[in-house]
């Protein structure tokens, strides 16, 4: 089993460093519902097999830039260049396992995540030579994430499979005349599969999650963002420290847009891209009474993005299982 784990890790590592020539988050406005690092680690897995309630707090900060170099970005009803984006996100996620075993070694759960977003976008509206530099800000509730299906499969005592289906509902505020919005104004449907490995005897953790997002059309701008493939992976080595298990490792993501953007509003063509990013992660696991607590601090740095924000994403997660 160790050999399988090492080979899996090598494959993910080669994927993450070998395809680094384009961007992340290609879609209307250069962004989508995908947020790097949001679903990449053991802390993100489905709830434990017994009846339980898991509450997770996820906060993140991203600073990125879409440079000029002849690339324009459709943002609402604008055509913008030299786009600087700064976003903060605070999300509260609640996952509930009612204790149902739907089949041998399979357990079912469901969940919901409510985000609050602060965003500032500065861009040159119009052509690079004649455009006007503008800054727009927005803050408030973002698009709600619904997870009606969270399935966990116990392969053996140290390997688990994860299958889920996510729905992003357009509950955030959206204004086509604004560069900054807390909502996207379209629905996203996202099947996700994951493979998780935890081996307490040697303090090792490995996880990989893959998902595909399918978006509906933004009817205010007649813009249909294409389908996107995401792959995220994390490796952590733990030691007994600070009253629990403290680990350090590396996490990374790969993005590839499967189909181009379309619609009358897609005046920049297909706007397809792909890219990678990686960075360090610090994790902590312990128990507080009968409740398992987990925390994760992560820094992800993008690699050579185009047509989408490059830059850095910092995130902190905390979860407690009751």
């Amino acid at each position: 089993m160790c050999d399988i784990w090492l080979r899996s890790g090598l494959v993910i590592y080669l994927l993450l460093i070998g395809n680094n020539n384009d961007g992340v988050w290609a879609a209307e406005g250069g962004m989508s519902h995908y947020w790097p690092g949001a679903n990449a680690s053991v802390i993100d897995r489905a709830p434990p097999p017994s009846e339980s309630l898991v509450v997770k707090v996820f906060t993140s900060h991203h600073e990125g830039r879409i440079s000029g170099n002849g690339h324009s970005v459709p943002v609402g009803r604008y055509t913008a260049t030299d786009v600087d984006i700064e976003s903060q996100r605070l999300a509260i996620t609640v996952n509930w396992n009612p204790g149902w075993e739907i089949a041998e070694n399979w357990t079912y759960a469901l969940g919901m995540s409510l985000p609050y977003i602060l965003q500032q976008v500065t861009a040159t509206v119009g052509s690079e030579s004649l455009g006007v530099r503008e800054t727009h800000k927005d803050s408030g509730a973002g698009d709600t994430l619904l997870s009606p299906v969270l399935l966990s499969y116990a392969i053996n005592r140290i390997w688990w499979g994860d299958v889920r289906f996510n729905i992003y509902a357009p509950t955030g505020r959206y204004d086509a005349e604004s560069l900054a919005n807390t909502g996207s104004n379209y629905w996203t449907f996202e099947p996700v599969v994951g493979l998780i490995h935890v081996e307490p005897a040697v303090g090792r953790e490995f996880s990989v999650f893959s998902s595909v997002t399918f978006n509906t059309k933004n009817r205010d701008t007649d813009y249909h963002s294409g389908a996107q493939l995401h792959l995220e992976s994390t490796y952590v080595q733990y030691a007994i420290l600070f009253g629990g298990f403290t680990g350090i490792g590396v996490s990374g993501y790969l993005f590839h847009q499967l189909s181009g953007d379309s619609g009358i509003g897609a005046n920049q063509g297909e706007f397809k891209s792909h890219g990678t990013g990686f960075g360090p992660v610090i994790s902590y696991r312990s128990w507080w009474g009968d409740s398992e607590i987990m925390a994760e601090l992560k820094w992800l740095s993008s690699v050579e993005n185009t047509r989408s924000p490059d830059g850095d994403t910092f995130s902190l997660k905390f979860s407690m299982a009751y």
Side-chain angles (χ1 to χ4, degrees), residues 5 10 14 17 24 83-84 92 144 157 160 166 182 200 249 263 280 307 321:
W5 180 89
L10 179 60
L14 292 174
I17 66 173
V24 178
V83 183
D84 293 306
I92 307 297
T144 301
R157 64 179 185 84
W160 291 268
N166 295 328
T182 63
R307 295 184 182 143

Side-chain angles (χ1 to χ4, degrees), residues 106-181:
W106 284 92
T107 57
Y108 168 81
L110 69 163
M112 179 174 66
S113 182
L114 302 173
Y116 184 87
I117 296 173
L118 296 89
Q119 187 178 80
Q120 175 177 300
V121 179
T122 300
T124 301
V125 177
S127 66
E128 288 186 284
S129 58
L130 300 176
V132 177
R133 196 73 175 162
E134 295 190 15
T135 297
H136 294 180
K137 299 180 181 180
D138 194 18
S139 62
D143 291 344
T144 301
L145 169 60
L146 304 172
S147 300
V149 177
L150 289 169
L151 300 178
S152 178
Y153 177 67
I155 301 171
N156 54 40
R157 64 179 185 84
I158 58 175
W159 286 90
W160 291 268
D162 190 296
V163 180
R164 63 185 67 185
F165 185 73
N166 295 328
I167 301 172
Y168 293 86
T171 55
R173 182 169 52 245
Y174 180 82
D175 180 0
E177 302 297 334
S178 176
L179 294 172
N181 287 289

Side-chain angles (χ1 to χ4, degrees), residues 55-60 88-94 112-117 143 145 316-318:
V55 179
K56 184 171 69 173
V57 179
F58 172 37
T59 180
S60 59
Q88 292 85 37
R89 175 177 300 198
L90 174 64
I92 307 297
T93 301
V94 178
M112 179 174 66
S113 182
L114 302 173
Y116 184 87
I117 296 173
D143 291 344
L145 169 60
L316 175 65
K317 299 176 185 177
F318 176 83

Side-chain angles (χ1 to χ4, degrees), residues 121-320:
V121 179
T122 300
T124 301
V125 177
S127 66
E128 288 186 284
S129 58
L130 300 176
V132 177
R133 196 73 175 162
E134 295 190 15
T135 297
H136 294 180
K137 299 180 181 180
D138 194 18
S139 62
D143 291 344
T144 301
L145 169 60
L146 304 172
S147 300
V149 177
L150 289 169
L151 300 178
S152 178
Y153 177 67
I155 301 171
N156 54 40
R157 64 179 185 84
I158 58 175
W159 286 90
W160 291 268
D162 190 296
V163 180
R164 63 185 67 185
F165 185 73
N166 295 328
I167 301 172
Y168 293 86
T171 55
R173 182 169 52 245
Y174 180 82
D175 180 0
E177 302 297 334
S178 176
L179 294 172
N181 287 289
T182 63
S184 298
N185 201 40
Y186 56 81
W187 293 78
T188 295
F189 303 94
E190 180 184 52
V192 184
V193 294
L195 181 64
I196 300 160
H197 170 70
V198 179
E199 193 168 359
V202 294
R204 191 162 53 201
E205 169 192 317
F206 169 73
S207 57
V208 56
F209 288 85
S210 181
S211 63
V212 179
T213 56
F214 301 93
N215 308 300
T216 64
K217 181 184 293 187
N218 181 343
R219 297 191 180 279
D220 286 0
T221 58
D222 195 28
Y223 197 109
H224 190 180
S225 297
Q228 305 153 0
L229 169 70
H230 310 117
L231 180 67
E232 298 190 282
S233 183
T234 298
Y235 165 73
V236 175
Q237 180 66 52
Y238 285 92
I240 299 176
L241 193 64
F242 303 123
F245 296 93
T246 302
I248 186 169
V250 63
S251 186
Y253 65 87
L254 178 148
F255 169 94
H256 181 73
Q257 188 162 345
L258 301 174
S259 61
D261 300 345
S262 60
I264 296 175
N267 52 32
Q268 300 302 309
E270 290 190 332
F271 209 62
K272 292 176 66 174
S273 68
H274 60 275
T276 60
F278 61 92
V281 56
I282 299 174
S283 299
Y284 180 78
R285 304 177 65 189
S286 187
W287 289 85
W288 185 17
D290 293 332
S291 300
E292 183 184 21
I293 59 174
M294 301 179 68
E296 177 187 88
L297 179 64
K298 182 180 295 185
W299 168 32
L300 292 173
S301 183
S302 58
V303 180
E304 296 188 28
N305 289 5
T306 59
R307 295 184 182 143
S308 55
D310 59 11
D312 300 291
T313 300
F314 300 89
S315 65
L316 175 65
K317 299 176 185 177
F318 176 83
S319 75
M320 178 175 288

